[in-house]
Amino acid sequence: MPTPDRPDPAEDRHLREACGMLDRSERGKLALSGPDAKAFLHGQVSQDVTALVPGHGSYAALLTNKGKMLADLRILDADAELLIDTERPGLQELFNTLWRFRLGHDVELHRRTLERGLLSLIGPRADAVLADLGATPPGPAEHDHHLGTLAGVEVRIIRTDAGVDLLAEAAAVPDLTAALGAGGATPVSETAAECLRIESGRPRYGTDLDDTVIPQEAGLNDRAVSFTKGCYVGQETVARLFYRGKPNRELRGLKASAPLTPGLELRAAGRVVATVTSAADSPRFGPIGLGFVRREAPVGARLEADGDIIAEVVELPFR
């Protein structure tokens, strides 16, 4: 597998100092409507959905009965319906699960992946770009959202950890992109955005997360799991690990002497103790990565890989 490219310096600067723009319309999108929508989804995922109120949202996981992740999802309470988006690798499993278990509930499941586009504004000036174009930024909490108008287009404006997402009709994305570009948002590459994500320590489904991962292993309990809600698939394993155990591995940062590649195995005393899941060549930190590291290799441990690569285990986010 090829080593990661270093982000373009100008793009990296826009993401850190101004406002970068990335089209993420490929994300899977669904909606649930009907009187039972909240109660139904509440029983399928790890987060407390019934506690949501319009204009707010949450992050959740869809789990196997052994507590392993089939998908992760953002849930937005849009009053008349729940809006759901997910990484594309988890979309089919999520759709199949909701479709299969909807029977007996007064709920309708809607496909929206092709009908809706999604643009991400990333950087400290994301709100300013919106305001300059006459749109109101969302509230400060992640997943806060509201309907607004931008360049004559109705958009749902959503707070993210790195800026703002804009959800709109797919046909309107070119006009939105042009208006945002004229307003100061600079298009950036996936490479630049991925580097920022890795530096922040945020795992991505299909890259760092899959059906072998329990949320606690990836440090997702605070974001994705409610320990006060009722039953859901996978709850027993998730709760037992949280209250009584400690995972054998955890998602960590890796600072390396040379570029890393996803899938690369790292060793301590000749034994494999870590596997790289994401990698970047950071302008700030040099070669870095995310990976699941066994607990016998604590923060500060120096691990080795083929090719004389040395990687130090570090806390997330990178500093």
Side-chain angles (χ1 to χ4, degrees), residues 194-209:
E194 274 291 277
C195 182
L196 194 67
R197 176 190 71 82
I198 293 168
E199 290 179 3
S200 70
R202 284 228 164 184
R204 183 176 183 179
Y205 196 87
T207 302
D208 309 290
L209 308 172

Side-chain angles (χ1 to χ4, degrees), residues 298-309:
V299 170
R302 291 171 61 82
L303 310 180
E304 299 177 353
D306 295 339
D308 298 323
I309 296 175

Side-chain angles (χ1 to χ4, degrees), residues 10-310:
E11 293 183 5
D12 182 72
R13 186 169 59 254
H14 282 295
L15 291 172
R16 299 181 193 282
E17 301 175 6
C19 179
M21 175 172 53
L22 183 66
D23 190 331
R24 285 175 164 153
S25 297
E26 81 285 350
R27 278 181 66 84
K29 307 172 201 75
L30 303 170
L32 286 170
S33 62
D36 295 346
K38 279 188 181 178
F40 167 65
L41 189 58
H42 183 83
Q44 303 301 318
V45 300
S46 60
Q47 191 56 272
D48 188 347
V49 180
T50 58
L52 291 178
V53 296
H56 298 276
S58 64
Y59 173 74
L62 178 74
L63 305 174
T64 70
N65 58 6
K66 294 185 179 180
K68 298 185 177 182
M69 298 183 66
L70 292 170
D72 68 349
L73 56 153
R74 176 170 58 184
I75 306 164
L76 304 176
D77 187 338
D79 198 9
E81 58 186 6
L82 296 175
L83 305 179
I84 299 167
D85 63 289
T86 181
E87 292 289 353
R88 202 61 175 266
L91 174 61
Q92 193 62 55
E93 191 64 52
L94 177 60
F95 177 85
N96 290 347
T97 298
L98 298 180
W99 182 260
R100 185 165 60 247
F101 291 109
R102 81 194 192 289
L103 298 177
H105 299 271
D106 191 356
V107 63
E108 293 186 22
L109 176 61
H110 312 272
R111 293 183 176 96
R112 297 278 174 79
T113 300
L114 300 181
E115 291 84 354
R116 299 289 187 273
L118 183 67
L119 294 174
S120 289
L121 301 182
I122 307 168
R125 285 193 48 79
D127 284 9
V129 168
L130 291 178
D132 288 347
L133 292 170
T136 302
E142 188 173 3
H143 313 306
D144 282 353
H145 61 97
H146 64 264
L147 275 178
T149 302
L150 198 157
V153 176
E154 184 177 79
V155 294
R156 186 162 298 276
I157 305 171
I158 309 159
R159 176 67 64 199
T160 70
D161 66 303
V164 174
D165 276 356
L166 302 173
L167 184 66
E169 294 289 338
V173 167
D175 288 343
L176 276 177
T177 301
L180 290 164
T186 301
V188 297
S189 64
E190 180 76 16
T191 296
E194 274 291 277
C195 182
L196 194 67
R197 176 190 71 82
I198 293 168
E199 290 179 3
S200 70
R202 284 228 164 184
R204 183 176 183 179
Y205 196 87
T207 302
D208 309 290
L209 308 172
D210 58 24
D211 60 5
T212 68
V213 177
I214 297 171
Q216 187 169 337
E217 295 176 323
L220 294 178
N221 277 358
D222 289 345
R223 289 177 57 205
V225 179
S226 168
F227 291 98
T228 59
K229 64 174 284 183
C231 295
Y232 60 91
V233 175
Q235 180 188 35
E236 183 178 352
T237 298
V238 170
R240 183 171 61 247
L241 183 60
F242 178 69
Y243 289 112
R244 300 181 184 177
K246 186 175 182 181
N248 290 324
R249 60 175 190 164
E250 292 183 293
L251 188 73
R252 297 292 191 192
L254 300 162
K255 283 186 178 180
S257 60
L260 301 170
T261 54
L264 181 68
E265 294 180 336
L266 301 172
R267 298 176 176 81
R271 181 186 177 192
V272 174
V273 294
T275 302
V276 177
T277 56
S278 287
D281 189 2
S282 166
R284 295 178 65 200
F285 302 107
I288 60 171
L290 301 179
F292 284 96
V293 181
R294 292 188 60 84
R295 62 186 186 187
E296 56 261 38
V299 170
R302 291 171 61 82
L303 310 180
E304 299 177 353
D306 295 339
D308 298 323
I309 296 175
I310 303 295

